[in-house]
Amino acid sequence: MAEPFIWQGRTDGDTEEHLRIHQVMNKIIPAKFALLGFASDEGVKRNKGRLGAKAGPQAIRQQLAGLPIHQSLAIRDVGTVSCDDGDLEKAQRQLSDEIIDILSQNQTPIILGGGHEVAFASFQGLFDFVSQTQPKKVIGIINFDAHFDLRSAPQATSGTPFLQSAKLCQQHERPFHYLCLGIADHGNTKILFDTADQLGCRYIRDKALTQSQLPNIIQQIQHFINEVDYLYITIDLDVFSASIAPGVSAPAPKGISVEIFDELFAVIKASGKIKVFDIAECNPEFDIDNHTAKLAAYLIYQFLF
């Protein structure tokens, strides 16, 4: 585990109406939410992307610390799993085990990435926990992402997590439910579309995620949610335009708007089925005035409240 983050920031007062997240972090027991960092860009390196996402967890924490709270919040910081030696598989297993421990305490893990290789660790942790405790329950993955991340490769990368997840399901004869929102035609080869179709994945392209199409899209999302018992939600920040999320490993020239995300996420959150939530590809090395880290903190804020 990496060095613990020191939760501090602006303090306007100690009474309830003045509180910010840093003032309540690790203060209320038992916690409802547990933050867990994944400091890794080994998967991005293997995928030949631009490095820097390893610093993402601390950058997101810094932006989250000062956000105000308007209702009681029971949240703790578990720390950060780091991939320092190039052994991504070991780090992913460690993160999965931490997630299992958090879930066993009836808390909801919020994982801060890091490259999108975090996704296989997040899914594996939830998959193993459900297999051990409620083996008949069905898990669904909703990925906000410009990319399928279904790439076939000789080793795990930031582009392989959902093919790894599909294979994990196949090994245990479990259904693979995967919905990807924000897919960019220019960001995925034909083989990735073919792989998605062969696996029965569902996806909605970025160009379809418009205000006029919302009723139909919400209906599709709701149908997906109704088919599963638990949800793993993962947000790759490159699903947003580079104009609002410049600090990512693969910036998007188009992307979806935050307003569209908010409306879709509200439907997902209202289901009450989210068991694991993560943010991926926050890359401070290429951020501008912390825009991307602030966006990541905002997305977490939407989940918390």
Side-chain angles (χ1 to χ4, degrees):
M1 301 289 278
E3 288 293 317
F5 179 79
I6 299 175
W7 287 91
Q8 58 187 4
R10 174 172 173 164
T11 301
D12 299 321
D14 296 319
T15 53
E16 186 175 341
E17 66 271 20
H18 292 110
L19 296 179
R20 299 174 185 271
I21 288 177
H22 72 86
Q23 292 173 274
V24 301
M25 185 64 66
N26 302 318
K27 298 292 176 61
I28 300 176
I29 300 173
K32 179 180 179 182
F33 300 99
L35 287 181
L36 177 59
F38 188 58
S40 169
D41 51 18
E42 177 63 25
V44 177
K45 180 181 179 180
R46 294 179 184 183
N47 204 29
K48 299 179 174 57
R50 56 184 192 173
L51 303 184
K54 187 174 182 177
Q58 300 300 66
I60 297 171
R61 284 183 172 103
Q62 288 170 359
Q63 298 305 318
L64 196 59
L67 296 183
I69 63 173
H70 297 212
Q71 61 195 62
S72 178
L73 176 64
I75 187 169
R76 67 187 180 111
D77 188 350
V78 180
T80 298
V81 173
S82 295
C83 182
D84 298 319
D85 56 4
D87 192 343
L88 174 59
E89 292 74 13
K90 181 179 74 174
Q92 286 175 318
R93 184 65 259 178
Q94 185 180 353
L95 186 72
S96 297
D97 290 341
E98 292 284 349
I99 290 169
I100 292 169
D101 183 62
I102 293 168
L103 291 169
S104 69
Q105 297 179 60
N106 200 31
Q107 297 168 3
T108 301
I110 299 174
I111 302 101
L112 315 176
H116 214 179
E117 60 265 30
V118 68
F120 179 63
S122 292
F123 179 76
Q124 180 177 237
L126 178 58
F127 183 91
D128 289 352
F129 175 78
V130 172
S131 296
Q132 294 164 15
T133 59
Q134 297 173 294
K136 293 185 179 180
K137 297 294 186 180
V138 177
I139 301 170
I141 302 169
I142 298 182
N143 177 27
F144 286 88
D145 199 338
H147 309 97
F148 283 115
D149 289 344
L150 289 167
R151 188 167 298 174
S152 178
Q155 59 180 347
T157 75
S158 60
T160 64
F162 301 110
L163 185 60
Q164 291 176 268
S165 300
K167 289 180 177 178
L168 181 62
C169 291
Q170 290 168 356
Q171 289 167 9
H172 293 268
E173 298 182 333
R174 302 293 294 158
F176 179 59
H177 292 273
Y178 177 47
L179 170 62
C180 194
L181 302 173
I183 283 294
D185 284 343
H186 60 272
N188 297 272
T189 57
K190 185 177 182 300
I191 188 62
L192 292 171
F193 280 96
D194 291 345
T195 301
D197 293 337
Q198 290 163 8
L199 291 171
C201 304
R202 276 163 276 186
Y203 51 92
I204 300 174
R205 289 173 167 85
D206 55 355
K207 59 189 177 185
L209 292 173
T210 63
Q211 199 68 39
S212 64
Q213 292 294 318
L214 268 181
N216 177 51
I217 293 167
I218 288 173
Q219 187 177 37
Q220 293 180 59
I221 293 173
Q222 192 62 63
H223 181 72
F224 179 87
I225 292 172
N226 292 342
E227 293 179 342
V228 303
D229 299 298
Y230 296 132
L231 289 169
Y232 159 45
I233 306 300
T234 180
I235 304 169
D236 187 325
L237 291 163
D238 72 21
V239 77
F240 299 99
S241 167
S243 63
I244 57 174
V248 296
S249 299
K254 186 180 186 301
I256 69 172
S257 71
V258 176
E259 291 75 19
I260 291 292
F261 171 86
D262 282 345
E263 297 208 45
L264 300 182
F265 187 67
V267 173
I268 297 167
K269 182 181 172 183
S271 73
K273 294 183 178 183
I274 300 176
K275 292 290 283 185
V276 176
F277 177 94
D278 72 31
I279 301 275
E281 303 286 356
C282 180
N283 188 331
E285 182 75 19
F286 295 94
D287 211 355
I288 300 172
D289 196 25
N290 297 314
H291 287 343
T292 313
K294 288 178 180 177
L295 175 60
Y298 168 82
L299 300 176
I300 294 167
Y301 194 81
Q302 298 306 103
F303 180 48
L304 292 174
F305 301 105

